[in-house]
Amino acid sequence: MTASAATAVPLPEQLTLQGAAQTLDRLSQSLAQQVGPTVVLDAQPLKVFDTSAVAVLLELRNSLLGQGKTLQVTRMPQRLQALVSLYGVAELLPA
């Protein structure tokens, strides 16, 4: 296990419009506790999601940029990668 995998904050199993705001709040608090210039999210737990997942990731990215940090999303499910590519934001959410 790499150091980044050990400190990665996991995404929830479900991230849809219904719970997006609460998930954003929870993840924002968790990510604020990570130290260093790069904050890591583990997307592997994500099983049920819609386009709200992309919106949450972009909002987290923008918030972190404002703090001088970058967001790295690891182990992104193939369907989420497809959505990110479809919306043309793959370069904004590096793996």
Side-chain angles (χ1 to χ4, degrees), residues 42-78:
D42 180 7
Q44 186 178 28
L46 195 57
K47 305 292 183 227
V48 178
F49 57 91
D50 58 19
T51 57
S52 299
V54 177
V56 166
L57 292 175
L58 290 172
E59 181 59 34
L60 289 169
R61 176 193 175 272
N62 291 340
S63 176
L64 288 167
L65 283 176
Q67 300 170 32
K69 298 182 178 186
T70 59
L71 176 65
Q72 179 182 5
V73 183
T74 62
R75 304 191 305 171
M76 199 180 294
Q78 188 174 11

Side-chain angles (χ1 to χ4, degrees), residues 1-8 40 72 74:
M1 179 178 282
T2 65
S4 62
T7 59
V40 182
Q72 179 182 5
T74 62

Side-chain angles (χ1 to χ4, degrees), residues 10 16-19 27-28 50-51 53 58 67 79 92 95:
T16 60
L17 179 59
Q18 184 177 359
L27 289 172
S28 293
D50 58 19
T51 57
L58 290 172
Q67 300 170 32
R79 282 184 35 239
L92 299 178

